[in-house]
């Protein structure tokens, strides 16, 4: 991404509408992800969070509106091309290869030309648990370990922007806390910008700079995370107090 693009948002969605067959599920979504920040996308089941992420990463073409990456209109550009430009997605369900070992999964991430031992060294330094389990089939790892592996694989591509779809799904609370701490440090220490779809607002607010609340295909609320987490409606609906 170009130097002059530094002051413009890394990702911007403008007036996004999206539909499955004839049924519109996003009705004009505006969303901004500034460079270097973590943005959370919250909302109830079926609100359209995953659809928003799929539009942002090029897996789905909107029926109206624009997707801008570093100020460039990339609406309709395929996900693989956006990945080459540094926009990497970790889908719900994590996108790892369950029948390959941890090491083989990492090997699949070395197509960028980086030697496997370097990839392994980097990964196991950041996620020692994966080092202990390098010969284990990925499908037999715990949910938290699988999520670590997915994050580790994504990091091999040196993403500018990481899109994560419900990283906490199905994970025990303690594991999730560790995972979010790691995501927070990847953002702070490596400067990776993130858009995180999360139903667990408490977790999302712990690392997010800004948040959006999506309800029935529309942005219902948005603002700095500190402000939103004190909003009465957000507390009642998403924080449980
Ligand atoms: P969840 O938190 O439950 O994953 P979500 O906020 O991510 O929900 P989406 O998965 O984006 O919501 O779904 C938005 C709406 O679009 C829902 O009504 C859903 O049923 C519908 N939808 C999602 N995927 C498809 C599809 N492939 N075909 C038809 N309808 C779909």
């Amino acid at each position: 991404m170009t130097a002059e693009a530094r002051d413009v948002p890394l990702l911007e969605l403008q007036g996004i509408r999206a539909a499955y067959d004839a049924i519109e599920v996003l009705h004009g979504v505006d969303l901004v992800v500034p460079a270097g920040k973590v943005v959370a996308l919250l909302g109830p089941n079926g609100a359209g969070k995953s659809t928003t992420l799929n539009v942002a990463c090029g897996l789905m073409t909107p029926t109206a509106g624009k997707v801008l990456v570093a100020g460039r209109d990339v609406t309709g550009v395929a996900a693989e091309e956006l990945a080459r430009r540094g926009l990497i997605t970790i889908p719900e369900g994590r996108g790892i290869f369950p029948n390959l070992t941890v090491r083989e999964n990492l090997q699949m991430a070395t197509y960028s030309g980086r030697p496997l031992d370097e990839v392994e060294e980097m990964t196991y330094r950041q996620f020692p648990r994966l080092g202990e389990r390098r010969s284990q089939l990925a499908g037999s790892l715990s949910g938290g370990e699988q999520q670590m592996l997915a994050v580790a694989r994504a990091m091999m591509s040196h993403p500018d922007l990481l899109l994560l779809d419900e990283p906490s799904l199905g994970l025990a609370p303690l594991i999730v806390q560790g995972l979010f701490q790691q995501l927070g440090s990847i953002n702070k220490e490596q400067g990776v910008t993130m858009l995180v779809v999360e139903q667990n607002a408490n977790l999302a607010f712990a690392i997010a700079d800004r948040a959006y609340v999506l309800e029935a295909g529309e942005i219902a609320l948005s603002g700095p995370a500190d402000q939103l987490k004190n909003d009465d409606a957000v507390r009642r609906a998403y924080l449980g107090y």
Side-chain angles (χ1 to χ4, degrees):
M1 298 193 184
T2 56
E4 70 268 21
R6 231 176 269 146
D7 293 334
V8 300
L10 201 45
L11 174 70
E12 187 167 4
L13 304 182
Q14 294 179 345
I16 293 294
R17 290 176 177 273
Y20 296 101
D21 300 319
I23 301 172
E24 188 177 272
V25 297
L26 297 181
H27 313 294
V29 169
D30 295 312
L31 184 147
V32 170
V33 184
K37 304 289 185 197
V38 177
V39 174
L41 181 58
L42 312 171
N45 280 320
K49 303 181 299 295
S50 297
T51 306
T52 304
L53 216 63
N54 287 342
V55 167
C57 77
L59 278 177
M60 193 169 166
T61 304
T63 52
K66 280 187 190 171
V67 181
L68 305 176
V69 170
R72 294 216 177 143
D73 187 347
V74 297
T75 319
V77 172
E80 302 78 53
E81 177 54 30
L82 291 180
R84 272 194 287 277
R85 297 188 203 179
L87 190 155
I88 303 289
T89 308
I90 302 179
E92 198 175 316
R94 300 165 191 140
I96 58 170
F97 299 98
N99 296 323
L100 299 182
T101 63
V102 166
R103 195 161 183 271
E104 286 162 345
N105 265 276
L106 293 173
Q107 194 159 24
M108 304 286 287
T110 62
Y111 61 88
S112 55
R114 203 181 275 253
L116 179 60
D117 52 2
E118 204 179 296
V119 166
E120 286 194 277
E121 207 269 320
M122 280 172 60
T123 302
Y124 303 153
R125 197 173 347 114
Q126 191 161 24
F127 302 103
R129 191 69 177 267
L130 293 178
E132 294 162 19
R133 296 178 182 262
R134 66 190 74 186
S135 305
Q136 191 171 322
L137 291 183
S140 69
L141 295 173
S142 73
E145 291 160 354
Q146 290 187 21
Q147 190 69 61
M148 281 177 204
L149 180 58
V151 172
R153 289 187 70 231
M155 291 305 295
M156 291 305 122
S157 320
H158 288 298
D160 293 307
L161 174 61
L162 208 50
L163 306 182
L164 296 118
D165 198 349
E166 300 227 18
S168 75
L169 201 72
L171 303 185
L174 208 61
I175 304 292
V176 161
Q177 269 175 24
L179 178 71
F180 269 69
Q181 265 166 19
Q182 253 155 344
L183 293 176
S185 65
I186 286 172
N187 165 255
K188 295 272 171 307
E189 287 157 25
Q190 302 182 43
V192 178
T193 306
M194 296 182 190
L195 174 61
V196 185
V197 163
E198 221 357 289
Q199 283 207 40
N200 185 332
N202 277 310
L203 279 173
F205 282 137
I207 63 164
D209 299 290
R210 290 186 64 79
Y212 289 81
V213 177
L214 191 65
E215 282 176 5
E218 290 177 10
I219 299 294
L221 281 168
S222 67
D226 284 346
Q227 194 179 311
L228 275 196
K229 74 178 166 203
N230 293 315
D231 181 283
D232 280 345
V234 171
R235 280 160 62 149
R236 269 197 305 274
Y238 300 106
L239 297 173
Y241 56 88

